[in-house]
Amino acid sequence: MIHELTEADLAEMTDICAKSLDLEPHPWTPALVREKTLGAHDFDAALLLGYEIAGEVRGFTQAVARDHAGERRGWVRLMAVNPAWQRQGIGSALLSEVERRLAERGVTRIGFMDVPANYLTPGVDFQYTAAACFLTKHGYHVTHTNLNLMCGLTSDEFEDVDEDIVGFAQRGITVRRAEEGDREAIAAWARREFAGWEEEILACYEQSPISLWIALRGEEMLGFGAYDSNNVNTGHFGPTGLSEASRGLGLGRVLTRAALRDQRRQGHRRAVIPWVGPIRFYSKCCGAWTDRIFWAFEKPLRG
Ligand SMILES: CC(C)(COP(=O)(O)OP(=O)(O)OC[C@H]1O[C@@H](n2cnc3c(N)ncnc32)[C@H](O)[C@@H]1OP(=O)(O)O)[C@@H](O)C(=O)NCCC(=O)NCCS
């Protein structure tokens, strides 16, 4: 009944997500589900499990095992059961099997959804009541909460960012879209300054145009503003970062607004600024408001 899913199951997985993860502010598409499963950089086919009866996938889960901050960590990146079949033990069966497989991979601590670099949301939305009950029942506890901001993109003001870019140019600082030739320098800088974000920053190179703005003084990288680093085409903004010495100059604002302008031009009316962070900065810089709250659930695994 529980078996590994493949590309052929993508449409069914998408349908289950649309029906059961129904608080998401974007339409579910096969591309988004693929990004979280078969297309993920850390994809492990043995950790994409479906619960199938009579040829129908009734629920599924995707987990990952990663070395993170010196530890072997595991996460359930997605889990959803078709509402027609919930509360019949399907989620529990999937969780128990995926926990067993994560333990086999040396994982000693398992989290839910807040997977670095490729996450739908940074934890379980507190409004998913069934998920909170389900996880508590299965021995998970909340370690902290994470927050998403939302930002409106309809204002023409985002089009004024070029004036700020010209202002920085007059002070010897270039703000521009990252180019293919910058990749190695940006990767080296990210490893030094923001090791946890290197994967997300480089994921921007998979988009066309490259969904990354950078600030430079000569050859020296000062900072970046990214979007579509994951959750591509859903209005996902971030991350953004400046090296210590470049803070306080207004560069964060211009990099953020340049990235948001791209998203606006791509037709998004809103951007999600996930897993923050500096609320006051984003509130001032682009009028962002506090939006969703997520519980970071965790459980120790004993082998
Ligand atoms: C969370 C989820 C995966 C659980 O799957 P499931 O197959 O319904 O779960 P099971 O039947 O194995 O377990 C039942 C337990 O889940 C919880 N649960 C399931 N549906 C519930 C509901 N409508 N209200 C409250 N608790 C619920 C309860 O703790 C229940 O145990 P109990 O009856 O002893 O209280 C499923 O509800 C779901 O897909 N929810 C939407 C997607 C989601 O929130 N995913 C986030 C990651 S979990």
Side-chain angles (χ1 to χ4, degrees), residues 60-78:
F60 81 97
T61 189
Q62 172 75 70
V64 290
R66 297 169 62 122
D67 293 320
H68 180 72
E71 204 187 338
R72 189 75 178 143
R73 292 283 309 271
W75 283 270
V76 170
R77 176 175 278 141
L78 268 188

Side-chain angles (χ1 to χ4, degrees), residues 110-130:
I110 176 168
F112 246 82
M113 299 186 86
D114 53 342
V115 196
N118 186 347
Y119 54 94
L120 177 73
T121 50
V124 177
D125 189 312
F126 78 105
Q127 296 173 93
Y128 284 126
T129 310

Side-chain angles (χ1 to χ4, degrees), residues 93-106:
L94 286 166
L95 184 63
S96 144
E97 180 58 18
V98 90
E99 285 180 352
R100 193 183 67 72
R101 293 185 184 210
L102 286 171
E104 270 175 10
R105 285 160 177 72

Side-chain angles (χ1 to χ4, degrees), residues 43-207:
F43 177 63
D44 177 342
L47 298 178
L48 174 57
L49 300 177
Y51 188 102
E52 185 172 324
I53 291 186
E56 179 196 7
V57 178
R58 296 187 171 179
F60 81 97
T61 189
Q62 172 75 70
V64 290
R66 297 169 62 122
D67 293 320
H68 180 72
E71 204 187 338
R72 189 75 178 143
R73 292 283 309 271
W75 283 270
V76 170
R77 176 175 278 141
L78 268 188
M79 178 179 281
V81 174
N82 184 329
W85 303 107
Q86 285 180 10
R87 227 161 184 170
Q88 298 185 29
I90 295 176
S92 302
L94 286 166
L95 184 63
S96 144
E97 180 58 18
V98 90
E99 285 180 352
R100 193 183 67 72
R101 293 185 184 210
L102 286 171
E104 270 175 10
R105 285 160 177 72
V107 166
T108 52
R109 199 149 57 101
I110 176 168
F112 246 82
M113 299 186 86
D114 53 342
V115 196
N118 186 347
Y119 54 94
L120 177 73
T121 50
V124 177
D125 189 312
F126 78 105
Q127 296 173 93
Y128 284 126
T129 310
C133 297
F134 173 79
L135 290 171
T136 309
K137 178 180 173 179
H138 289 289
Y140 287 77
H141 64 280
V142 176
T143 58
H144 58 280
T145 55
N146 292 318
L147 181 72
N148 278 5
L149 304 182
M150 186 72 90
C151 166
L153 298 177
T154 51
S155 164
D156 290 343
E157 280 174 31
F158 287 104
E159 297 300 328
D160 296 343
V161 70
D162 286 334
E163 290 167 26
D164 297 332
I165 292 176
V166 169
F168 275 107
Q170 286 161 354
R171 293 154 65 190
I173 295 176
T174 305
V175 175
R176 62 164 171 80
R177 187 183 303 284
E179 294 165 3
E180 196 53 49
D182 302 317
R183 189 197 288 249
E184 289 314 313
I186 291 175
W189 177 83
R191 267 194 298 281
R192 228 174 29 248
E193 301 280 340
F194 294 103
W197 282 343
E198 183 187 352
E199 201 176 323
E200 277 164 275
I201 293 170
L202 292 181
C204 296
Y205 272 89
E206 291 163 27
Q207 305 311 315

Side-chain angles (χ1 to χ4, degrees), residues 282-302:
Y282 285 117
S283 165
K284 279 172 85 170
C285 151
C286 56
W289 61 90
T290 47
D291 185 40
R292 299 173 73 189
I293 297 176
F294 305 91
W295 278 321
F297 278 96
E298 198 177 286
K299 177 166 120 176
L301 277 188
R302 289 174 195 88

